[in-house]
Every structure is written in C-alpha cells, then in structure tokens.
Amino acid sequence: MCATDTRVVVFARAPESGRAKTRLIPLLGAEGAARLQALLIERTLDIVLASAVGRVTLWCAPSVQHPLLDKFLKHFDIDGATQCAGDLGDRMRHAAITTLETASRVLLIGTDCPEMTVTHLHAAAAALDDKSDAVVIPAEDGGYVLLGLKLCDDNLFARIPWGSDKVMAMTRERLNALEWRWCELPALWDVDRPADIERLLKMRL
C-alpha cells in the first residue's frame, strides 16, 4: 500500500450552468453540461476515497465557499481550498507547493477522467513510494490526467500550452531536464470534447 502521508488534490470547477464543460454545451446544452460536471466530480471523489491512498482536498474554483462545491465537501466530509488565480499551471503549482509543506507526496488530479480507478491511484502512489520523485498518467489527447510529486519545481508548470496536445511531451522534457527519477503509467482518456460523450455513455456511469 502507499505511505500514510500521501495527499490527493482534486481540482474541480463548480458545476454551474453555462460555465461548466463549455465545449460540451453545443451537444448537451448548458444544464446537461453542468449535470455531467457534477457527475464527474462525484465519481472522482468516490474513487479517490475508496482508494484510501491519503487525505483528500477538493481545490475549488471559483471558491471553496461556492454552494455547489460546498455540497460535495459536506457530503464526502473532506477538506476544501480555493484555487489561486492564474492559468492551470499556476493553480497546480500553488496546490502542490501548499500540500508538500505538510506532506511528503501529492497526487494532483482533475475530474475529467471517468476511466480512472482505484487501481490507477494505487499504482501512482506506489510509484512515489518506490523511489520515484514524480509519476504521470498521460491523457490520450496529449495532456495528462494525474501528476504525482515528491518535489516541486516551477519549470514543470511554466510556459505550458495547457489544453493542447503538447502538454505531456513538454512535461516529459521538463522532468528529464530536472534529472528527477520519474515514471510514466499507461495513458487514460478524459472527457473534454463532444466526441468523448459516446465513449462515456458506453461506461454507463
């Protein structure tokens, strides 16, 4: 199993109609996209808590006080924090640095990967236990769905074209340049675009 001082950071945006999963609104409508966002948040928290890899914090946007996110905090009885301003890299860096002040390992994930399971989280946590400084689970679209760290460096997050198919390739380059010990686990897929919905429906969430 994993170390007891592993922490799991889950990034989530409030499932507000018109502001959640905006690339899916043409297909699902604003309300449907928001409901999907809520479903993905709930499923992610179910999986993370079932994995028992470590204490969980939901990093919230726009705020930890948002009523739609507060419902998840209360339902799952987990800690919450507000994401900082800036791009995804700024927010990930801030959460990683903050978490590593009180823990030796952190797993950073979003809520867009319905394929992620307890087994994937165990494998990532085990990789950090097994002498790796970092572990990554790539996304099939060129990004990544999980980043695990024992160390943090600004170069992992700066000047990355988030949302593009270059994210994982650039992250590999940065990790190699840092000369860290790191490992890459098999890629998973996430839900970002209308083409992903058919695949999602087959999962019968």
Side-chain angles (χ1 to χ4, degrees):
M1 191 59 175
C2 60
T4 56
D5 60 350
T6 298
R7 301 289 186 265
V8 183
V9 164
V10 180
F11 293 95
R13 176 165 292 281
E16 294 180 289
S17 177
R19 296 187 177 182
K21 289 290 178 196
T22 54
R23 284 185 286 186
L24 297 178
I25 289 176
L27 178 66
L28 302 177
E31 292 292 337
R35 286 195 296 270
L36 175 59
Q37 173 78 343
L39 177 64
L40 291 171
I41 294 171
E42 182 175 5
R43 185 186 186 282
T44 300
L45 292 174
D46 278 334
I47 294 298
V48 172
L49 290 169
S51 75
V53 297
R55 188 171 174 175
V56 180
T57 303
L58 186 68
W59 282 71
C60 304
S63 167
V64 71
Q65 282 85 31
H66 195 288
L68 294 178
L69 293 173
D70 185 59
K71 289 181 180 180
F72 291 107
L73 296 174
K74 291 176 178 175
H75 176 74
F76 289 98
D77 191 23
I78 57 175
D79 297 327
T82 297
Q83 295 181 34
C84 72
D87 67 13
L88 178 58
D90 296 325
R91 290 178 272 131
M92 291 178 68
R93 174 185 171 278
H94 176 247
I97 289 174
T98 301
T99 304
L100 290 172
E101 289 176 351
T102 57
S104 63
R105 301 163 177 82
V106 60
L107 301 179
L108 307 169
I109 66 172
T111 60
D112 293 339
C113 183
E115 195 178 20
M116 187 176 292
T117 66
V118 166
T119 299
H120 296 116
L121 291 166
H122 285 174
L128 293 180
D129 286 346
D130 189 25
K131 300 182 180 180
S132 289
D133 298 313
V135 58
V136 191
I137 299 181
E140 290 181 1
D141 63 6
Y144 55 77
V145 300
L146 178 149
L147 176 65
L149 299 170
K150 283 196 266 188
L151 306 170
C152 191
D153 190 284
D154 291 354
N155 285 327
L156 275 180
F157 306 108
R159 302 177 305 280
I160 299 284
W162 303 105
S164 76
D165 60 2
K166 297 178 175 63
V167 172
M168 187 62 216
M170 293 180 69
T171 300
R172 291 187 189 101
E173 292 174 358
R174 305 287 178 86
L175 287 166
N176 288 332
L178 288 167
E179 298 184 348
W180 289 359
R181 297 167 297 182
W182 67 282
C183 69
E184 181 175 325
L185 301 179
L188 302 175
W189 63 276
D190 52 13
V191 179
D192 283 323
R193 298 175 176 84
D196 301 319
I197 295 299
E198 183 177 354
R199 199 171 183 179
L200 180 65
L201 291 172
K202 292 179 180 178
M203 294 185 67
R204 300 176 183 271
L205 293 184

